[in-house]
């Protein structure tokens, strides 16, 4: 899937936008007013890491036109498999060009001498046949293009809002609690975390996140949310939010973890995706004039697609070995089966309000560019196939399973991912193949490791 047309490459057109006099002038003004001296040119890897380079602000024009270059294995986190093979390209592989998007410029509120751009990635011009094309392993650029194609095909826009949960640990944050009780929503425990949430919310607002609410959920666990928007903007903001949390942790001498299941018997860190579909300013998931909780016909087909491909999507939504501990620990509000419902917190998809679907599979380490691209593919398939989601959980005729079981391990999820052509085709072949290779290697490494639990169970078990 390329962006090429005769006479100009996608890279050429991006450069033309970046060198527009008005756009350059606006960025220069912001840099001067803030006193920015250094700029990060950043992109996001398959594993959700932020990578890039720092460039002195005086080289703005050069960077807007030529970008920065990184080795293509960066897209796969510069990771070798167990056999020593570098994923995503060997030592002789070509670099990619990271070209900034002018509209993503922001000033870091904790150090206003530093700014940042998000970049789109391209093949270098000298490469035969593909020079100037979008870099096929660019997860962020792929979501932008995928959403545009989805809108062209369906006339709809996907808007989403994420609920990222983060575990904070460090001096003064220990939370006493009674056995078999949950400390969720206690304002006293929010007070313990006041320095955390005040800095995160303040920095978030300064970087363009419309922070709306937050709460305390389990020992050390905070959920801080911002307003929903187009899927690609929400993905950018989730990455920014994680960077903010890391900075706040550094400043306060704390640790901020997005690990999906930090400990047995406590709630995992999820990142529920709240979804709506829009035709202009009309949310098509709900029928106007109906007050009772319901889904429109379009909404039911979209939901049907999400559920039909939930098993295949699990390798993206729960992308780590640790992710599956979140689903296995019963009674802690994580999905247990592929179904949908109203107020049951263990459903894969919940309908909490007219016009909104809460997709509960993604965890806090999810790559939001992959998750939203997969959701666009599943929704498009549901609309095209008119997929019936069946009755809600707890309703009549809801007892018989309608969809496959949730994969119970990362290994099972990779099998489901490989078998689901809709999920794979929602990504580029390069992204799908790299993701599968990286995660197969992760699963193999885990299966070869002897754990503390095994020592506890077997080290002195006989005679």
């Amino acid at each position: 899937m390329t962006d090429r047309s005769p006479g100009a490459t996608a890279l050429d057109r991006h450069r033309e936008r970046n060198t527009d006099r008005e756009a350059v002038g606006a960025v220069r003004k912001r840099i001067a007013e803030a006193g920015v001296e250094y700029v990060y040119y950043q992109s996001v890897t398959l594993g959700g890491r932020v990578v890039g380079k720092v460039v002195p602000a005086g080289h703005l024009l050069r960077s807007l036109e030529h970008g920065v270059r990184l080795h293509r294995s960066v897209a796969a986190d510069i990771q070798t498999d167990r056999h020593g093979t570098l994923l995503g390209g060997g030592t002789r592989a070509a670099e990619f060009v990271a070209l900034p998007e002018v509209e993503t410029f922001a000033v870091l509120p904790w150090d206003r001498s530093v700014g940042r751009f998000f970049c789109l990635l391209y093949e270098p011009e000298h490469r035969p046949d593909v020079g100037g094309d979008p870099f096929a392993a660019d997860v962020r650029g792929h979501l932008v293009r995928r959403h545009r194609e989805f809108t062209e095909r369906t006339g709809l826009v996907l808007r989403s809002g994420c609920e990222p949960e983060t575990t904070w640990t460090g001096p003064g944050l220990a939370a006493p609690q009674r056995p078999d009780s949950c400390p969720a929503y206690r304002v006293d425990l929010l007070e313990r975390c006041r320095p955390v949430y005040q800095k995160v919310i303040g920095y978030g607002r300064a970087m363009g996140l419309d922070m709306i609410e937050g709460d305390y959920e389990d020992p050390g666990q905070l959920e801080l949310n911002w307003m929903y928007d187009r899927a690609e903007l929400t993905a950018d903001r989730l990455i920014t939010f994680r960077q903010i949390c890391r900075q706040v942790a550094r400043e306060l001498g704390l640790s901020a973890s997005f690990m999906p299941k930090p400990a047995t018997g406590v709630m995992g860190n999820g990142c529920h995706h709240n979804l709506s579909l829009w035709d202009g300013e009309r949310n098509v998931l709900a029928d106007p004039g109906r007050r009772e909780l319901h889904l429109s016909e379009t909404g039911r087909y979209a939901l049907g697609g999400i559920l039909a491909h939930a098993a295949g999507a699990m390798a993206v939504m729960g992308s780590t070995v640790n992710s599956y501990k979140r689903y296995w620990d019963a009674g802690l509000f994580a999905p247990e089966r592929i179904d949908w419902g109203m107020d049951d917190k263990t459903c894969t998809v919940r309908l909490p309000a007219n016009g909104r679907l809460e997709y509960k599979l993604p965890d806090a380490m999810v790559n939001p560019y992959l998750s939203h691209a997969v959701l666009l593919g599943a929704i498009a398939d549901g609309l095209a196939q008119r997929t019936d989601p069946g009755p809600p959980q707890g309703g009549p005729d809801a007892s018989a399973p309608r969809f496959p079981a949730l994969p119970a391990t990362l290994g099972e999820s990779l099998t489901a991912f490989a078998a689901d052509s809709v999920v794979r085709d929602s990504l580029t072949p390069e992204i799908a193949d790299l993701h599968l290779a990286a995660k197969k290697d992760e699963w193999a490494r885990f299966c070869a490791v002897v754990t503390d639990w095994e020592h506890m169970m077997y080290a002195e078990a006989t005679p």
Side-chain angles (χ1 to χ4, degrees):
M1 180 168 54
T2 68
D3 203 23
R4 169 171 275 178
S5 63
T9 66
L11 178 57
D12 291 331
R13 292 191 292 275
H14 191 160
R15 280 177 172 159
E16 186 176 349
R17 295 194 300 272
N18 276 9
T19 52
D20 174 79
R21 181 177 300 178
E22 185 175 335
V24 172
V27 174
R28 272 183 156 169
K29 181 179 179 182
R30 292 186 64 188
I31 285 175
E33 288 176 347
V36 169
E37 299 177 31
Y38 311 95
V39 180
Y40 291 135
Y41 291 79
Q42 65 183 41
S43 58
V44 181
T45 71
L46 193 69
R49 296 177 183 168
V50 181
V51 296
K53 292 184 177 182
V54 61
V55 178
H59 287 284
L60 176 68
L61 286 178
R62 174 179 176 272
S63 299
L64 288 178
E65 185 173 358
H66 299 288
V68 297
R69 295 192 176 209
L70 291 83
H71 192 270
R72 64 203 304 114
S73 64
V74 169
D77 296 306
I78 319 181
Q79 175 71 45
T80 62
D81 64 18
R82 294 200 304 157
H83 307 291
T85 302
L86 189 63
L87 299 174
T91 55
R92 296 183 179 179
E95 297 176 323
F96 60 75
V97 178
L99 206 61
E101 288 193 289
V102 174
E103 61 272 20
T104 67
F105 179 77
V107 178
L108 303 190
W110 51 88
D111 185 344
R112 294 183 63 82
S113 70
V114 183
R116 77 97 211 270
F117 289 107
F118 277 108
C119 296
L120 295 178
L121 311 183
Y122 299 92
E123 294 285 359
E125 293 168 299
H126 66 266
R127 296 202 71 202
D129 301 324
V130 297
D133 283 351
F135 178 47
D138 176 12
V139 294
R140 182 176 177 275
H142 173 68
L143 175 59
V144 171
R145 294 187 293 274
R146 183 79 189 185
H147 199 182
R148 183 171 63 237
E149 292 173 353
F150 174 85
T151 301
E152 290 170 353
R153 191 163 63 250
T154 67
L156 302 174
V157 168
L158 176 64
R159 297 182 184 176
S160 71
C162 291
E163 301 178 38
E165 294 166 338
T166 312
T167 297
W168 296 83
T169 54
L173 296 186
Q177 65 182 102
R178 286 183 286 184
D180 301 318
S181 69
C182 176
Y185 306 117
R186 284 182 55 184
V187 172
D188 178 62
L189 297 178
L190 267 179
E191 268 294 286
R192 290 182 184 229
C193 296
R194 177 159 40 90
V196 173
Y197 76 69
Q198 285 183 341
K199 277 185 174 288
V200 171
I201 291 174
Y203 287 163
R205 285 173 172 165
M207 296 194 73
L209 280 66
D210 183 5
M211 306 297 295
I212 53 175
E213 64 179 41
D215 63 2
Y216 192 99
E217 299 210 335
D218 224 30
Q221 186 186 73
L222 290 179
E223 179 185 307
L224 301 172
N225 302 331
W226 58 92
M227 186 62 76
Y228 71 96
D229 210 323
R230 291 179 61 95
E232 62 270 29
L233 295 178
T234 292
D236 280 352
R237 288 165 186 162
L238 179 58
I239 295 298
T240 300
F241 173 81
R242 289 173 179 167
Q243 291 182 286
I244 289 170
C245 288
R246 291 286 187 222
Q247 175 61 27
V248 170
R250 284 190 289 269
E251 291 182 13
L252 297 179
L254 305 174
S255 174
S257 176
F258 306 104
M259 188 174 177
K261 187 70 171 178
T264 305
V266 302
M267 292 184 189
N269 286 319
C271 187
H272 302 168
H273 288 19
N274 290 272
L275 311 170
S276 53
L277 286 173
W278 295 76
D279 180 359
E281 292 306 309
R282 182 173 67 92
N283 184 347
V284 302
L285 295 189
D287 290 322
R290 290 184 60 182
R291 298 188 63 180
E292 75 278 8
L293 210 56
H294 73 281
L295 270 175
S296 66
E297 184 178 64
T298 298
R300 288 184 61 83
Y301 295 151
L303 171 61
I306 291 171
L307 295 176
H309 298 289
M314 277 290 284
V316 167
M317 307 303 170
S319 62
T320 74
V321 169
N322 180 255
S323 299
Y324 296 81
K325 311 297 174 72
R326 173 173 163 253
Y327 311 118
W328 269 97
D329 207 352
L332 294 171
F333 301 113
E336 298 174 358
R337 66 193 77 84
I338 298 178
D339 62 358
W340 72 286
M342 307 298 180
D343 287 322
D344 188 329
K345 303 298 191 294
T346 65
C347 291
T348 292
V349 180
R350 189 167 73 100
L351 180 63
N354 285 331
R356 176 160 62 94
L357 293 171
E358 183 184 18
Y359 184 53
K360 297 169 68 68
L361 290 184
D363 62 41
M365 285 188 68
V366 71
N367 184 324
Y369 304 106
L370 298 186
S371 63
H372 285 95
V374 166
L375 281 166
L376 286 168
I379 290 169
D381 185 68
L383 296 176
Q385 302 298 327
R386 302 170 73 87
T387 305
D388 182 6
Q393 190 274 341
D397 304 319
S399 56
R402 189 177 186 85
F403 299 101
L406 277 176
T409 65
L410 179 61
E412 289 184 15
S413 77
L414 296 175
T415 300
F417 177 84
D420 192 323
S421 60
V422 169
V423 171
R424 290 197 323 275
D425 291 347
S426 67
L427 308 172
T428 66
E430 291 80 0
I431 291 174
D433 291 348
L434 267 180
H435 184 70
L436 192 59
K439 292 302 167 180
K440 278 185 174 181
D441 185 70
E442 180 177 333
W443 178 243
R445 288 174 187 266
F446 172 74
C447 290
V449 169
V450 178
T451 65
D452 290 344
W453 183 88
E454 290 168 286
H455 277 283
M456 179 185 70
M457 293 292 292
Y458 310 125
E460 299 185 27
T462 56

